[in-house]
Amino acid sequence: MVDKSLELFECGHRACGGCGAALAARLAMKGAGTNTIVVNSTGCMEVFSTPYPETAWKVPWIHSLFENASAVASGVEASLKKQRRGEKVVIMAGDGATFDIGMICISGAFERGHDFTYICYDNEAYMNTGIQRSGATPYDASTTTSPAGKCSFGNKRPKKDMPQIIAAHGAPYVATASIAYPADLMQKVERAVNTKGPCYVQVHAPCCTGWGFEGEQTLAIAKLAVETGLWINYEMVDGKVSKVKKVVKKPVEEYLKTQKRFRHLFKPARQDAEIAAIQAMADRNFEKYGIEIKLKKE
Amino acid sequence: MALAVGCRARPGKSRDNKTGSWRVFRPVFDNEKCSKCGLCQTVCPEGCIHETDEEFMEPDYTYCKGCGLCAEECPGGAIEMKQEEK
């Protein structure tokens, strides 16, 4: 059982007020428990939680490089195994480190089948260095390297389906979660940590600074992402999708309107074709995962 | 500043950094409206909301950055954000 009162991510870290990633780390550590060693890749979480000589972590924690968190975790896990010790190894990495930079090391570590849990906090761009696009940036989001303007509506490519790539490596447990559903997130991390073999949890963590919204809206926006079908919460056990979060469908506009990174879709003129394209992506998700709850007509 | 071997630091040493000074709006908790559900405690990105002996919730203003997430999410509307007076 998850011990909700367990605090392994301490106050005093330097994340923005209302940071989704900080909340993701706090909740994930409640699920992982005290008997954990954390390997952190470079990223916002590493920077705001550990400006030397401070650290927000209350478990053993190591940072090496941007690209090699899963290689470092492999070594840690192999050494623990040799010493017959029982600590759980958890990787915390952002979407840039996961989707782009760490891809080779991740692929190697999952293929070798080390016993660790990889938690990706997905804030959909390189937020720490100033909002550059990553493989996780959604279609039409404006970032500093995919700016919206006269010639462009922002990021041209849809988000990479990372959970499927990990599942294709034969990972026994792959899950997506959102900070909008804290109990679900903690349970998924707990299950991943207690599953033997390389497991993966991808957590949707809105970034108030990078996406352009007020800090108090973080959870409301995370929830809207799930309700509009642009983020799907599901579990994949041995490659088979199960336990999908079902929702009452909302139009994608409600989600897009809340964030400055999509502002160009509404101002100066409403871009119906682009909004329809994003709606079509959400509709495909609804169809693929069968997540719509149909309300009975009275 | 001298570096420790391996650039190591004591667990939870970030408590030295009093982030409460960042705050512009202060969450004020109304115990009469509080149903003790504990949602504010769960969703606080700082983890600085604690339970009192009477099971009510109490923020630690030394660390609260005043993001307002607790006030926004509180189902009973028991938390109000009030401008800090400095």
Side-chain angles (χ1 to χ4, degrees):
Chain A
M1 273 295 286
V2 175
D3 178 9
K4 274 193 180 177
S5 63
L6 187 68
E7 291 289 354
L8 296 172
F9 194 74
E10 195 49 278
C11 305
H13 59 74
R14 294 165 192 228
C16 308
C19 175
L23 180 54
R26 222 191 114 222
L27 296 172
M29 288 316 294
K30 284 176 196 281
T34 39
N35 197 26
T36 304
I37 294 174
V38 173
V39 180
N40 213 164
S41 71
T42 307
C44 224
M45 191 183 286
E46 173 252 330
V47 171
F48 75 63
S49 68
T50 60
Y52 187 76
E54 293 165 9
T55 177
W57 301 88
K58 292 168 89 177
V59 292
W61 178 96
I62 182 173
H63 163 248
S64 174
L65 298 172
F66 213 143
E67 64 275 30
N68 69 354
S70 35
V72 171
S74 303
V76 172
E77 187 265 344
S79 172
L80 292 173
K81 201 169 156 190
K82 174 79 181 158
Q83 296 173 58
R84 297 175 190 278
R85 284 163 61 171
E87 289 95 329
K88 308 287 185 188
V89 181
V90 169
I91 301 168
M92 287 275 185
D95 56 285
T98 306
F99 286 59
D100 305 344
I101 299 178
M103 197 68 203
I104 293 175
C105 289
I106 291 170
S107 185
F110 274 86
E111 176 257 318
R112 289 190 300 271
H114 291 282
D115 185 11
F116 62 59
T117 299
Y118 195 111
I119 299 173
C120 168
Y121 69 95
D122 184 359
N123 51 23
E124 305 190 325
Y126 292 86
M127 296 313 183
N128 176 45
T129 45
I131 320 154
Q132 288 84 17
R133 81 167 284 278
S134 76
T137 306
Y139 181 72
D140 268 0
S142 180
T143 69
T144 50
T145 48
S146 64
K150 273 182 195 162
C151 308
S152 165
F153 289 113
N155 186 39
K156 286 195 171 65
R157 300 288 307 154
K159 193 185 180 86
K160 193 194 275 188
D161 194 351
M162 195 66 188
Q164 288 289 355
I165 296 172
I166 300 288
H169 284 75
Y173 182 75
V174 174
T176 57
S178 167
I179 56 164
Y181 302 94
D184 177 62
L185 165 57
M186 289 186 271
Q187 275 168 14
K188 280 172 176 167
V189 172
E190 190 195 26
R191 180 161 180 194
V193 165
N194 290 312
T195 303
K196 213 173 154 47
C199 300
Y200 180 79
V201 182
Q202 190 171 308
V203 184
H204 199 222
C207 169
C208 42
T209 310
W211 297 10
F213 60 84
E214 294 299 324
E216 76 263 19
Q217 296 296 325
T218 306
L219 271 131
I221 286 175
K223 202 169 187 184
L224 271 175
V226 175
E227 287 170 345
T228 54
L230 291 171
W231 181 270
I232 316 289
N233 265 0
Y234 61 84
E235 283 184 323
M236 239 191 290
V237 180
D238 295 320
K240 280 201 185 103
V241 177
S242 61
K243 242 187 94 178
V244 192
K245 165 89 188 160
K246 295 199 172 188
V247 292
V248 177
K249 190 175 180 176
K250 286 185 178 173
V252 291
E253 254 187 84
E254 285 187 30
Y255 174 66
L256 303 177
K257 264 188 177 166
T258 56
Q259 304 157 50
K260 273 192 193 146
R261 62 176 179 161
F262 294 116
R263 188 172 48 184
H264 56 283
L265 299 179
F266 301 97
K267 281 178 187 171
R270 198 188 143 89
Q271 304 296 334
D272 285 317
E274 293 300 311
I275 296 168
I278 297 171
Q279 184 63 58
M281 286 175 191
D283 291 345
R284 273 200 297 278
N285 280 340
F286 272 100
E287 200 178 320
K288 185 177 170 189
Y289 295 97
I291 52 173
E292 189 166 0
I293 299 172
K294 293 243 167 39
L295 293 177
K296 279 177 195 158
K297 279 176 192 157
E298 283 174 22
Chain B
M1 186 175 63
L3 294 176
V5 175
C7 289
R8 64 187 195 277
R10 266 196 302 113
K13 182 107 172 25
S14 60
R15 287 191 81 87
D16 290 0
N17 187 32
K18 311 278 191 271
T19 48
S21 62
W22 299 14
R23 199 171 53 244
V24 180
F25 291 96
R26 164 191 286 256
V28 180
F29 287 56
D30 181 354
N31 284 354
E32 282 185 9
K33 288 186 193 166
C34 177
S35 65
K36 306 179 180 180
C37 70
L39 187 64
C40 52
Q41 192 182 23
T42 308
V43 302
C44 175
E46 312 307 314
C48 70
I49 300 177
H50 304 288
E51 217 175 289
T52 62
D53 292 338
E54 292 95 52
E55 295 175 336
F56 286 114
M57 296 299 157
E58 185 182 63
D60 185 345
Y61 292 117
T62 319
Y63 298 101
C64 170
K65 292 171 185 164
C67 68
L69 205 50
C70 51
E72 184 73 23
E73 295 301 320
C74 178
I79 308 170
E80 197 186 340
M81 298 304 288
K82 287 189 177 157
Q83 181 124 27
E84 284 283 345
E85 284 170 30
K86 284 184 182 170

